[in-house]
């Protein structure tokens, strides 16, 4: 049985490819036609070709396991891509750039004069209780005034068809390597579609990333020595660290490879001797960067690294302390930041968010827990959340207690009806929920990825897209229909 | 190239070589014991001496039985030079440099470790031991071949070869030392057995055929010693290993200091009149050789693996 779009059921959700009438959306027309021309055997063949490609290309993510140490799992991938028309994407891209510009202005302000607080736009008590605010970063001026060079913002589409920003990841956002690899896999298995449809390329990212990093080098005259700092092979994103280093032609280093000299410069230990490092793309959390300042028992970091950064002999992306804006409470103020710093109206809306620290809003949240998604302010990876509509009474009671105990640490959002994309399940397609994580690079210029990483909740009805929790991914196609 | 990466490649190669050598040793010893009369058989004890782990063995086992020694050398996780521990170390080192290694190499190393671990019971049983050890040796050789055939012959590969050759040279000296020490008292009626023992020395190094081709004489102590220590063509001969290390060092930056050590090690072995060395003199001579290898390792580690701040100013100047 080939794919019968008229039998495909996404309602009541918004489907990214298929209109409620059962016809393909404009940007997805060629794709849907192609898919329904495939026989069952073709589909199975394509799927195994994708699995084989993933195995051969060694696309993995790491799961730590007591018994065997770390295990590389093959990356779960669905061969039906998610499609966005270029016109819609252009609007999203403008919104993302606007957002990241405001976020960078906000972080720089917070670590300098704190005008936004004095002007009463951003409450001081939130700043005072922020666990990601770093006193050590006060009055440091990183190159170009940019703190969040790499931002991964999570976008979702609700059933009404509009796109919302769910969160901005400003610490060490990951996933971009999968976006790049997904595209390579798709080119292998659907070459004919890439001939016919105007699918915009994504493979510029590593060179843009390198340019962004190079643009903040403290020694602009020389060819900059850029390194990727990884916590090591047991980190779940190690594949990505190695991948990006390789793609950029940068050294992949661990903390023990680096040393800070008496001149406060950072050096890496090489067989040629010590070599000066200019820019560190760090994939280690703030608190592990420098044992002399933060976690003193951290063996991942480099003693003296923060001092070197403060003195400006080395640049770090993202800058330490950038996470102050990566807090789900701070998130609610991003639209206000856009108005305050840029004097513009936000292009992309936030998901309506209730702050549990506010008495009235908390009352509302507690009264409606069954309809809400409750999130801790500073977790990532989908941990520690309550998904109201899918929760048991016991879980709701537990969260009510957690919120009462530490209201600053929780926010709640109405459970969104995430949009869906047809996904291959055994021998037919079913609707599965997706989100989208584009990556925004800020250096001398701002670049966004073309599309981003589409994550899909592979379990029926599930809204959790994290790979650590049963999520997979899809290729994301930005299609230029005007050109056709 | 990062010092850490160079060091991991070096140790990866050393551990694979060590595992392979241990497997050879066990095989050859088992073979030798079948040929020697009970009364003069040295048994299994020399193997623990040879791997430098006699004290550890004595603290963990009662007697030098075949069963105990083989278990100790193959699968004892408390013995840092057991085959299984070496392979696990090789794997951990390889894992951290996976992005430098050709994928097949990593897979083979992983495979070899899993094989050695999962099939250990075969290695411990008398009947299946030969096949088990042979698989390990072939697997290790395959990794060496894969590296030669698929890895860029750049600095990284030089560190692999340096590690492998130092380990080989080390093992060759150990085998010569222990085997000649445990050799038989000087009694004419035992001569046929002495030859068997010297043949076993050659066999442990897979050197028997090459010895015959090259020396074209029957197996004699003096010729065996000359061949194993001073030959430049046999890949497990001490001098050949040093030549290989020297070649690699020529490709590396800042190699003056380690090259000086190799040169002096080479001179020492070349100038020695090996054939004339009697038992105790031979033992002292070999001690010197091992010391030389130790110095070479230290010099290489100091130069390449332990870049520290004292060299910062130096490298600054050189890049300025």
């Amino acid at each position: 049985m080939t794919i019968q779009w008229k039998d495909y059921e996404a309602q009541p959700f918004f489907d990214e490819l298929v209109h409620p009438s059962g016809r393909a959306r404009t940007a997805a027309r060629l794709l849907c036609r192609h898919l329904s021309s495939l026989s069952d055997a073709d589909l199975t063949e394509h799927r195994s070709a994708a699995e084989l490609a993933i195995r051969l290309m060694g696309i993995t993510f790491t799961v730590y396991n007591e018994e065997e140490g770390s295990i590389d799992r093959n990356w779960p991938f669905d061969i039906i891509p998610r499609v966005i028309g270029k016109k819609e994407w252009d609007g999203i891209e403008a919104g993302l750039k606007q957002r990241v510009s405001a976020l960078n202005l906000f972080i720089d302000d917070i670590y300098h004069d704190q005008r936004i607080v004095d002007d009463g736009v951003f409450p001081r008590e939130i700043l005072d209780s922020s666990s990601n605010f770093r006193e050590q970063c006060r009055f440091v001026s990183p190159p170009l005034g940019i703190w969040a060079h790499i931002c991964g913002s999570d976008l979702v589409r609700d059933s009404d068809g509009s796109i919302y920003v769910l969160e901005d990841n400003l610490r060490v956002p990951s996933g971009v390597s999968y976006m790049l690899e997904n595209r390579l896999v798709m080119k292998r298995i659907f070459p004919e579609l890439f001939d016919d449809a105007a699918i915009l390329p994504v493979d510029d990212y590593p060179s843009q990333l390198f340019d962004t990093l190079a643009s903040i080098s403290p020694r602009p005259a020389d060819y900059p020595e850029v390194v990727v700092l990884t916590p090591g092979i047991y980190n779940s994103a190690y594949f990505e660290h190695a991948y990006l280093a390789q793609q950029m032609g940068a050294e992949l280093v661990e903390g023990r490879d680096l040393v800070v000299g008496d001149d406060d410069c950072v050096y890496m230990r090489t067989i040629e001797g010590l070599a000066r490092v200019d820019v560190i793309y760090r994939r280690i959390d703030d608190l592990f960067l420098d044992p002399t300042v933060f976690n003193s028992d951290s063996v991942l970091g480099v003693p003296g690294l923060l001092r070197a950064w403060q003195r400006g002999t080395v640049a770090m992306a993202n800058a330490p302390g950038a996470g102050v804006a990566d807090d789900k409470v701070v998130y609610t103020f991003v639209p206000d930041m856009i108005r305050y710093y840029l004097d513009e109206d936000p292009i992309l809306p936030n998901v309506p968010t209730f702050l549990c620290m506010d008495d009235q809003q908390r009352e509302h949240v507690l009264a409606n827990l069954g309809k809400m998604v409750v999130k801790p302010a500073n977790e990532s990876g989908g941990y520690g959340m309550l998904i109201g509509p899918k929760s048991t009474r016991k879980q709701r009671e537990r969260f009510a207690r957690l919120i009462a105990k530490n209201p600053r640490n929780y926010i709640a959002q109405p459970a969104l009806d995430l949009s869906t994309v047809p996904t291959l399940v055994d021998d037919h397609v079913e609707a599965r929920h997706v989100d989208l994580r584009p990556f925004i690079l800020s250096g001398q210029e701002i670049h966004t990825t073309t599309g981003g990483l589409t994550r899909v909740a592979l379990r029926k009805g599930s809204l959790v897209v994290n790979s650590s929790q049963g999520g997979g991914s899809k290729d994301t196609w930005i299609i230029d229909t005007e050109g056709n | 190239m990062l010092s850490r990466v160079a060091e991991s490649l070096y140790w990866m190669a050393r551990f694979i070589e060590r595992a392979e050598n241990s497997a050879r040793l066990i095989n050859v010893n088992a073979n030798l014991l079948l040929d020697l009369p009970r009364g003069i058989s040295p048994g299994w004890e020399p193997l623990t001496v040879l791997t430098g782990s006699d004290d550890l063995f004595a603290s963990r086992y009662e007697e030098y039985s075949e069963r105990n020694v083989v278990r100790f050398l193959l699968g004892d996780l408390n013995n840092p030079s057991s085959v299984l521990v070496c392979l696990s170390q090789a794997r951990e080192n390889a894992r951290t440099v996976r992005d430098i290694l050709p994928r097949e190499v990593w897979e083979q190393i992983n495979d070899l470790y899993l094989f050695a671990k999962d099939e250990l019971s075969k290695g411990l049983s008398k009947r299946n031991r030969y096949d088990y050890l042979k698989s390990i040796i072939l697997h290790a050789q395959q990794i060496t071949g894969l590296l030669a055939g698929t890895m860029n012959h750049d600095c990284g590969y030089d560190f692999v070869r340096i590690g492998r050759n130092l380990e080989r040279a080390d093992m060759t000296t150990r085998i010569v030392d222990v085997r000649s020490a445990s050799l038989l008292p000087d009694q004419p009626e035992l001569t046929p057995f002495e030859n068997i023992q010297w043949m076993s020395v050659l066999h442990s190094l897979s050197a028997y055929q090459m010895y015959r081709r090259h020396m074209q004489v029957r197996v004699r102590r003096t010729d065996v010693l000359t061949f194993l220590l001073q030959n430049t063509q046999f890949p497990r001969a001490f001098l050949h290993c040093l030549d290989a290390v020297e070649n690699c060092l020529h490709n590396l930056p800042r190699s003056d200091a380690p090259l000086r050590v190799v040169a002096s090690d080479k001179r020492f072995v070349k100038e020695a009149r090996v054939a004339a060395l009697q038992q105790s003199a031979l033992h002292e001579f070999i001690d010197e050789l091992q010391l030389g290898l130790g110095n070479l390792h230290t010099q290489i580690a100091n130069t390449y693996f332990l870049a520290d701040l004292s060299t910062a100013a130096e490298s600054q100047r050189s890049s300025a």
Side-chain angles (χ1 to χ4, degrees):
Chain A
M1 188 193 83
T2 54
I3 294 175
Q4 303 291 321
W5 292 115
K6 63 179 170 37
D7 297 336
Y8 175 72
E9 192 61 66
Q11 309 266 11
F13 307 106
F14 182 100
D15 192 85
E16 299 283 341
L17 300 194
V18 185
H19 197 265
S21 68
R23 295 180 46 194
R25 293 187 189 278
T26 317
R29 220 166 265 161
L30 263 173
L31 170 67
C32 289
R33 199 182 307 147
H34 183 77
L35 287 174
S36 50
S37 76
L38 298 175
S39 68
D40 278 1
D42 291 337
L43 275 177
T44 316
E45 195 187 310
H46 281 356
R47 179 155 59 182
S48 20
E51 280 163 12
L52 185 67
I54 286 169
R55 207 165 51 238
L56 289 181
M57 290 157 74
I59 311 173
T60 58
F61 70 104
T62 311
V63 180
Y64 195 76
N65 166 306
E66 291 288 323
E67 174 84 356
E68 285 287 305
S70 74
I71 302 184
D72 286 335
R73 295 252 180 92
N74 285 338
W75 177 243
F77 175 73
D78 182 70
I79 61 171
I80 302 180
R82 183 244 192 99
V83 175
I84 303 175
K86 179 167 185 303
K87 221 165 127 193
E88 181 179 25
W89 176 251
D90 287 343
I92 297 173
E93 185 172 354
L96 291 169
K97 288 181 173 174
Q98 177 194 51
R99 202 172 165 93
V100 170
S101 305
L103 282 165
N104 271 308
L105 289 166
F106 169 75
I107 304 169
D108 203 49
D109 185 19
I110 286 299
Y111 286 118
H112 287 92
D113 304 335
Q114 307 192 335
R115 285 186 296 123
I116 194 168
V117 180
D118 295 342
D119 290 340
V121 178
F122 186 79
R124 174 159 305 276
E125 55 171 319
I126 294 181
L127 188 58
D128 289 344
S129 57
S130 163
S131 58
N132 292 318
F133 177 80
R134 307 262 171 266
E135 194 54 48
Q136 298 86 347
C137 300
R138 228 26 232 285
F139 305 113
V140 176
S141 300
L144 309 172
I146 293 171
W147 295 70
H149 311 85
I150 298 107
C151 169
S153 292
D154 290 347
L155 305 180
V156 293
R157 198 198 291 272
D158 197 12
S159 50
D160 65 359
S162 43
I163 297 264
Y164 294 91
V165 180
L166 193 60
E167 61 184 58
D168 308 288
N169 296 283
L170 302 174
R171 284 175 279 182
V172 285
S174 64
V176 76
S177 58
Y178 299 116
M179 172 192 92
L180 298 167
E181 294 284 69
N182 286 351
R183 176 57 56 87
L184 292 182
V185 173
M186 290 300 275
K187 281 183 181 164
R188 283 197 195 183
I189 57 176
F190 286 123
E192 60 275 26
L193 274 170
F194 284 85
D195 285 341
D196 297 341
I199 305 164
L200 299 185
V202 296
D203 41 17
D204 219 17
Y205 183 82
S207 29
Q208 286 174 349
L209 176 61
F210 185 84
D211 291 346
T212 301
L213 295 170
S215 75
I216 55 171
S217 168
R219 297 189 300 172
D222 293 312
Y223 188 82
E225 185 73 68
V226 175
V227 301
V228 179
L229 176 59
T230 173
I233 55 171
Y234 296 110
N235 186 272
S236 62
Y238 181 76
F239 167 81
E240 174 156 308
H241 307 162
Y243 179 90
L244 289 175
Q246 216 166 29
Q247 294 289 313
M248 288 194 292
E251 233 20 285
L252 178 67
V253 304
E254 296 179 18
R256 58 196 159 119
D257 296 324
L258 300 180
V259 58
V260 179
D262 295 334
D263 53 0
D264 284 351
C265 292
V266 179
Y267 297 91
M268 63 177 167
R269 302 175 211 266
T270 78
I271 58 168
E272 318 258 353
L274 293 181
R276 168 101 184 254
V277 171
D278 298 303
V279 183
I280 301 175
Y281 177 24
R282 52 104 173 191
R283 298 292 300 253
I284 293 182
D285 278 328
D286 280 0
L287 295 180
F288 295 92
L289 277 179
D290 184 344
T292 61
V293 181
F294 304 119
N295 277 0
S296 55
D297 54 349
S298 164
V299 290
L300 303 176
V302 186
L305 183 56
L306 198 78
R307 190 178 73 234
W309 172 76
Q310 286 164 335
R311 283 210 34 202
T313 61
V314 72
M316 261 196 274
N318 287 349
V324 67
D326 181 346
D327 170 320
K328 292 182 179 71
V329 176
V330 176
Y331 154 87
T332 57
F333 290 89
V334 177
D336 297 323
M337 293 174 199
I338 293 173
R339 289 186 202 96
Y340 178 77
Y341 292 113
L342 304 176
D343 197 20
E344 292 172 11
D345 281 325
I347 301 172
L348 291 173
N350 266 10
V351 178
T353 303
F354 301 97
L355 299 181
C356 295
M357 60 190 289
D358 179 282
D359 294 342
Q360 252 183 338
Q361 297 184 33
R362 184 173 61 248
E363 296 272 298
H364 177 81
V365 170
L366 290 173
N368 293 283
L369 270 183
K371 294 182 219 154
M372 299 271 184
V373 176
V374 181
K375 301 175 180 174
N378 288 307
E379 286 288 337
S380 58
Y383 292 103
M385 286 175 27
L386 173 79
I387 298 180
K390 310 234 177 257
S391 62
T392 61
R393 208 185 56 174
K394 228 176 169 166
Q395 287 169 328
R396 287 195 294 276
E397 283 168 3
R398 194 169 74 87
F399 266 80
R401 282 195 303 275
L402 287 171
I403 292 171
K405 210 163 132 197
N406 186 0
R408 162 66 173 88
N409 195 38
Y410 290 93
I411 57 134
Q413 295 165 334
L416 295 182
D417 294 327
L418 298 194
S419 62
T420 57
V421 177
T423 299
L424 211 49
V425 178
D426 301 325
D427 62 348
H428 60 290
V429 290
E430 286 183 17
R432 289 290 184 267
H433 296 289
V434 295
D435 76 351
L436 177 65
R437 176 177 287 184
F439 295 85
I440 308 102
L441 295 172
S442 308
Q444 223 117 46
E445 295 164 51
I446 303 183
H447 298 283
T448 65
T449 48
T450 314
L453 177 67
T454 293
R455 299 186 297 175
V456 52
L458 292 171
R459 279 196 286 267
K460 192 183 182 114
S462 168
L463 296 169
V464 184
V465 296
N466 305 79
S467 57
S468 47
Q469 302 192 38
S473 76
K474 286 168 168 287
D475 194 14
T476 309
W477 291 359
I478 306 300
I479 302 236
D480 190 353
T481 46
E482 319 261 301
N484 269 6
Chain B
M1 165 163 284
L2 287 175
S3 300
R4 171 176 54 83
V5 171
E7 188 173 7
S8 297
L9 289 168
Y10 172 88
W11 282 112
M12 174 194 87
R14 275 199 89 142
F15 280 119
I16 293 172
E17 184 69 25
R18 195 173 292 176
E20 182 189 331
N21 288 336
S22 304
R24 285 173 192 282
L25 266 179
I26 296 170
N27 236 352
V28 171
N29 203 60
N31 228 338
L32 169 70
L33 295 192
L34 296 178
D35 282 338
L36 290 177
R38 208 171 271 275
I40 61 163
S41 164
W44 287 88
E45 186 175 349
L47 262 57
T48 64
V49 179
L50 202 148
T51 52
S53 44
D54 197 37
D55 291 344
L56 180 68
F57 181 88
S59 72
R60 294 182 44 79
Y61 298 86
E62 296 280 314
E63 52 167 348
Y64 291 92
S65 66
E66 170 171 356
R67 200 187 151 72
N68 283 351
V69 174
V70 171
R71 173 176 291 278
F72 178 73
L73 293 177
L74 275 186
D76 192 331
L77 296 180
N78 293 299
N79 172 10
S81 50
S82 74
V83 169
L84 207 53
V85 171
C86 285
L87 291 177
S88 145
Q89 291 284 341
R91 178 178 181 241
E92 287 314 305
N93 276 288
R95 188 204 291 284
T96 62
V97 291
R98 264 178 80 174
D99 38 316
I100 310 276
L101 291 175
R103 161 187 216 82
E104 298 89 335
V105 173
W106 156 250
E107 282 172 1
Q108 282 294 331
I109 292 175
N110 197 30
D111 240 37
L112 172 54
Y113 165 74
L114 292 174
F115 167 82
K117 187 173 117 197
D118 296 344
E119 308 284 316
L120 181 61
S121 61
K122 286 191 179 155
L124 298 176
S125 88
K126 240 179 169 149
R127 233 185 49 201
N128 298 316
R129 187 191 303 140
Y130 178 78
D131 287 336
Y132 174 82
L133 293 172
K134 198 172 164 198
S135 290
I136 288 183
I137 294 167
L138 285 179
H139 235 100
Q141 291 278 313
Q142 199 174 2
I143 293 167
T144 305
L146 269 172
L147 282 164
T150 61
M151 184 174 180
N152 281 348
H153 287 197
D154 56 8
C155 298
Y157 188 61
D158 286 322
F159 281 103
V160 168
R161 289 186 59 209
I162 291 176
R164 182 194 302 143
N165 279 290
L166 280 182
E167 184 65 32
R168 261 187 203 166
D170 180 65
M171 189 55 97
T172 300
T173 58
R174 283 167 190 271
I175 289 177
V176 169
D177 192 26
V178 174
R179 276 305 177 206
S180 53
S182 68
L183 274 172
L184 313 161
D186 207 3
Q187 289 169 22
E189 70 270 25
L190 292 175
T191 314
F193 298 119
E194 178 176 348
N195 283 345
I196 289 178
Q197 279 217 15
W198 280 110
M199 274 163 70
S200 96
V201 168
L202 290 172
H203 279 302
S204 356
L205 294 162
S206 295
Y208 181 70
Q209 273 175 289
M210 294 301 119
Y211 171 87
R212 294 307 297 243
R213 270 176 63 119
H214 185 81
M215 306 297 272
Q216 308 207 321
V217 289
R218 56 188 300 269
V219 176
R220 275 197 320 232
R221 176 180 193 274
T222 51
D223 295 319
V224 172
L225 286 177
T226 311
F227 182 72
L228 289 181
L229 296 177
Q230 294 177 319
N231 185 278
T232 53
Q233 283 154 3
F234 179 62
R236 291 174 185 275
F238 187 85
L239 187 55
H240 178 94
C241 294
L242 286 185
D243 277 340
V245 172
E246 187 176 41
N247 281 335
C248 294
L249 284 170
H250 276 302
N251 301 332
L252 294 177
R254 305 191 302 134
S255 54
D256 291 356
L259 275 172
R260 275 198 294 277
V261 181
V262 184
S264 103
D265 286 359
K266 273 177 66 178
R267 205 175 320 117
F268 183 71
V269 71
K270 268 201 270 194
E271 286 171 359
R273 293 186 47 230
V274 173
L277 293 173
Q278 285 311 307
Q279 197 46 53
S280 66
L282 177 64
H283 181 69
E284 275 167 35
F285 175 68
I286 284 183
D287 268 356
E288 287 296 316
L289 292 184
Q290 293 211 326
L291 229 65
L293 288 179
N295 287 342
L296 185 51
H297 165 79
T298 309
Q299 192 55 56
I300 287 171
N302 286 345
T303 307
Y304 299 116
F305 306 155
L306 301 166
D308 58 24
L309 284 169
S310 59
T311 56
E314 183 191 330
S315 63
Q316 276 265 290
R317 268 200 303 281
S318 66
S319 69

